[in-house]
Amino acid sequence: MEIVILPDPEQVQKLAAKIVKAQVTQEPNLVLGCATGSTMEGFYAELLRHGAILDGVTTFNLDEYLGLDAYHPCSYAAFMQEHFFRHTAIPPQRRHLLDGKTDDVSRHCAAYEEQIRAVGGIDLQLLGIGRDGHIAFNEPGSSLASRTRLKILTPLTRESNARHFPPGWEVPKYVLTMGIGTILEAHRCLLLAFGESKAEAIAAAVEGPLSADCPASALQFHQRTTVIIDGAAAQKLRRAEYYRTVYENKPNWMRRELEGE
Ligand code: GLP
């Protein structure tokens, strides 16, 4: 795992956008694993501002609320449309999202896995992190080998995500999500986080024991994960100073490898 600590959320989003743009420039047919949530809003805006040519890209989203269709304003499909897809020329047939209105969950999830396999896997997976350490909607206790499936949200996640729903609206209890095993097969992962509310989850993910209790800790097993966070999210890392030193002292060729330039 590579840990990059930057002064503020804007720089986190800027570096992530720079990495994605560089990779898309090198691989115009990149398969991009997309994430949602407030962490990602500024990232997509940055990526679009950087003028990345995205026409050849294929996308797969991590997760979706069960029961919400693509036109529901709180669905992740609507989020993607608003913050990303409508500003790009990615053809609809190459944008893959889990269908919150599926009437056959098992078959739909298996077909999603098959679609990922059919394009040769995900090249670059974007990730946020929940306050309880979840990635996508893999809540604590999720199997570290899990595949795309239905999950039930914890009260903490429903409470955290209530801010994305109008007052009085219920956050769905059931969701569809890529599994941790699915995510670990991506060739590269980029996890972004900022703010004090993520500090505990980041410390558990990066320095805690590898445990289903913090699903993001499974990334310790991934060959090429970069965690980009701000100082507030880094607050509980015991080795924060060391990670800063490593980043500042990177030889130029390693920096190019990280940033893709
Ligand atoms: C949701 C999503 C996750 C996301 C997390 C953090 O639960 N399913 O993929 O990482 O929220 O969201 P935010 O960036 O809004 O804090």
Side-chain angles (χ1 to χ4, degrees), residues 134-146:
H134 71 242
I135 44 175
F137 267 138
N138 294 285
E139 294 285 34
S142 292
S143 157
L144 301 184
S146 49

Side-chain angles (χ1 to χ4, degrees), residues 35-40 62-63 65 76 127-130 134-137 157 161 163-164 198:
T36 51
S38 27
T39 310
M40 294 296 153
L62 283 169
D63 46 14
Y65 292 105
Y76 285 162
L127 294 167
I129 188 168
H134 71 242
I135 44 175
F137 267 138
T157 299
N161 290 5
R163 68 189 196 282
H164 300 299
K198 300 292 173 71

Side-chain angles (χ1 to χ4, degrees), residues 140-247:
S142 292
S143 157
L144 301 184
S146 49
R147 313 301 309 189
T148 304
R149 69 211 182 293
L150 179 141
K151 286 294 288 181
I152 297 181
L153 296 181
T154 61
L156 177 67
T157 299
R158 293 182 74 209
E159 178 205 306
S160 303
N161 290 5
R163 68 189 196 282
H164 300 299
F165 286 74
W169 287 28
E170 281 260 305
V171 177
K173 195 183 280 178
Y174 298 98
V175 292
L176 300 179
T177 180
M178 274 189 206
I180 298 174
T182 321
I183 293 169
L184 291 180
E185 280 171 13
H187 302 144
R188 185 176 187 186
C189 292
L190 218 54
L191 187 148
L192 316 184
F194 40 76
E196 207 181 332
S197 67
K198 300 292 173 71
E200 210 159 300
I202 286 294
V206 173
E207 295 176 339
L210 197 161
S211 161
D213 197 48
C214 175
S217 69
L219 294 166
Q220 292 175 24
F221 247 134
H222 190 267
Q223 287 196 64
R224 201 166 174 222
T225 288
T226 307
V227 174
I228 311 177
I229 54 180
D230 73 345
Q235 263 176 54
K236 300 208 165 153
L237 288 172
R238 278 179 289 117
R239 300 185 203 284
E241 274 325 297
Y242 173 65
Y243 307 136
R244 286 191 169 98
T245 307
V246 170
Y247 185 59

Side-chain angles (χ1 to χ4, degrees), residues 107-151:
R107 189 185 299 191
H108 181 58
C109 292
Y112 202 65
E113 290 275 337
E114 188 43 47
Q115 285 176 312
I116 296 173
R117 258 193 300 277
V119 297
I122 291 170
D123 296 309
L124 179 57
Q125 179 64 61
L126 300 163
L127 294 167
I129 188 168
R131 279 158 60 198
D132 59 4
H134 71 242
I135 44 175
F137 267 138
N138 294 285
E139 294 285 34
S142 292
S143 157
L144 301 184
S146 49
R147 313 301 309 189
T148 304
R149 69 211 182 293
L150 179 141
K151 286 294 288 181

